[in-house]
Amino acid sequence: DEEVERVKGFIDEYNEIITLIGTGVTQRPDRSYAPLTPDQMDEMTEQEIKDWNVEAKKGMLYSDPKMMRVLSELRGAMGGTTDTSSLTLAQIGISPAYMDTTGKLVMDENKFKQKLMEDPEEIASLFSGALKEDGTTPGIAAQLRDILVRNVGVSGTSGVLVEEAGMNTGLTSDKNNISDKIKDYDEKMAELKKDLQAEREKYWKQFAALEQSLNQLNAQSSWLTNMMGN
């Protein structure tokens, strides 16, 4: 019973991860909620800004290739075979939910208990078996750990996802690919504003020179008119 509860907990946590990532990559963005400009925020209350940003952030991960790859790798690890055991999850009572396309798993406790009593070592190897030879497939836990290490990191290292977006704590919060892109955009925007100001000043000078020339021309025209009239 203790082992059953441990495996049930493992499956429940896996399903939570699958649901979280799956919702992120399938939720379409609402284009009517564009990021707010400073002028727009000045006209809104703090709660209105908060509510708007919640809607604006929906769909940020829609069809994101990195997250979709993680989702595919997780599903592959839980649904494939290993070189450490002759069993698969489906053979021990753990399989995709009926008519469910999200990748979540359900557990047949009776079937699992029966398989556990018949061949506990094979089930242990299915979950925790480790292989070091190249080209072999380790147990499910080792596969999942490898996915996490490559995408999130461990022991001070940064995985693909952390390098891309960082974490809200630690050094990576402002040292990641997205932050670098934002910095580049800010620098480019500053340069464009500087160029715009220079262009504006150039046209103002040309306009002022033109206005001065027109005033001189009008003055000369008036003088000639007066002379001709006299």
Side-chain angles (χ1 to χ4, degrees):
D1 290 341
E2 181 182 353
E3 296 306 321
V4 171
E5 290 303 314
R6 291 174 63 184
V7 174
K8 280 178 61 179
F10 172 76
I11 297 301
D12 289 341
E13 292 181 1
Y14 167 80
N15 286 340
E16 288 182 18
I17 294 174
I18 291 295
T19 300
L20 179 65
I21 300 177
T23 300
V25 298
T26 57
Q27 185 179 52
R28 293 179 177 272
D30 188 343
R31 300 302 183 188
S32 60
Y33 287 92
L36 294 171
T37 65
D39 291 339
Q40 289 174 319
M41 288 190 285
D42 289 340
E43 300 175 355
M44 300 170 67
T45 65
E46 185 175 342
Q47 186 60 45
E48 288 175 335
I49 294 173
K50 183 178 179 180
D51 294 341
W52 183 283
N53 287 333
V54 168
E55 296 299 322
K57 290 179 179 180
K58 289 182 179 179
M60 290 177 63
L61 294 177
Y62 178 67
S63 293
D64 181 84
K66 291 184 174 64
M67 295 305 300
M68 292 184 70
R69 187 188 66 248
V70 173
L71 186 61
S72 176
E73 290 177 350
L74 289 172
R75 289 173 175 172
M78 297 294 281
T81 60
T82 70
D83 291 320
T84 60
S85 174
S86 61
L87 297 174
T88 64
L89 287 181
Q91 291 173 322
I92 62 174
I94 301 172
S95 58
Y98 179 68
M99 297 294 289
D100 186 290
T101 60
T102 64
K104 291 191 294 184
L105 301 173
V106 293
M107 182 176 177
D108 183 335
E109 292 188 35
N110 292 330
K111 184 175 181 179
F112 180 79
K113 287 180 180 179
Q114 181 181 351
K115 288 291 184 179
L116 187 60
M117 290 188 293
E118 291 175 357
D119 207 343
E121 292 184 0
E122 279 292 309
I123 292 181
S125 296
L126 172 64
F127 281 99
S128 58
L131 290 177
K132 297 182 180 180
E133 296 83 357
D134 292 337
T136 57
T137 305
I140 292 173
Q143 293 183 54
L144 295 180
R145 184 182 187 280
D146 179 62
I147 295 170
L148 293 176
V149 170
R150 282 189 284 107
N151 290 282
V152 181
V154 67
S155 301
T157 63
S158 295
V160 174
L161 299 181
V162 175
E163 290 176 354
E164 177 68 15
M167 300 182 72
N168 59 2
T169 57
L171 297 175
T172 60
S173 61
D174 59 355
K175 293 182 179 180
N176 52 73
N177 293 341
I178 292 179
S179 295
D180 290 342
K181 290 178 182 178
I182 293 174
K183 183 179 178 181
D184 290 341
Y185 285 136
D186 289 341
E187 291 176 353
K188 186 175 182 179
M189 184 68 71
E191 292 177 1
L192 290 173
K193 288 181 178 179
K194 187 177 179 180
D195 293 341
L196 177 62
Q197 183 62 30
E199 195 76 5
R200 180 183 296 172
E201 291 177 358
K202 183 186 74 173
Y203 284 120
W204 271 115
K205 289 179 181 179
Q206 291 178 351
F207 176 79
L210 177 61
E211 190 175 31
Q212 185 178 6
S213 297
L214 288 173
N215 289 335
Q216 292 176 351
L217 182 61
N218 289 333
Q220 292 174 356
S221 177
S222 297
W223 181 81
L224 287 174
T225 301
N226 290 334
M227 289 296 292
M228 293 175 66
N230 292 335

